[in-house]
Amino acid sequence: MMNKINDEALNSVTGGTRRTVDTGTSQNAAIRCGAGLDYEQIASLKNGTTVNATGVFKKADGRNWAQIDAPVNGWIAA
């Protein structure tokens, strides 16, 4: 079973880790071109979509952001 990306997962991921999108709501997850709400939304992914976390993380806007490279290249709020 895949885990959603959270603080615990962020601390243990070293790259190339598959995770499952889980927004905790019925809304899709926004994929942005950079880590932060000020960056343009370039895609959205449905809950249950498997993503590949690259191992690059940043904190911005009070959130943890994970860089993904599949199924799209971008940043997702963790």
Side-chain angles (χ1 to χ4, degrees):
M1 180 175 186
M2 300 288 180
N3 296 321
K4 70 179 182 176
I5 299 171
N6 56 29
D7 284 331
E8 182 179 339
L10 284 173
N11 291 332
S12 63
V13 171
T14 58
T17 302
R18 296 210 176 269
R19 299 290 182 194
T20 301
V21 172
D22 181 358
T23 64
T25 70
S26 61
Q27 291 184 313
N28 293 345
I31 307 303
R32 299 187 178 274
C33 63
L37 297 174
D38 290 337
Y39 288 92
E40 178 184 359
Q41 181 176 335
I42 56 173
S44 66
L45 297 175
K46 293 181 180 182
N47 284 328
T49 302
T50 300
V51 299
N52 189 63
T54 66
V56 178
F57 302 99
K58 292 184 179 180
K59 289 190 180 267
D61 304 319
R63 295 174 170 86
N64 294 316
W65 292 85
Q67 185 180 45
I68 62 171
D69 63 4
V72 297
N73 288 317
W75 290 83
I76 187 170

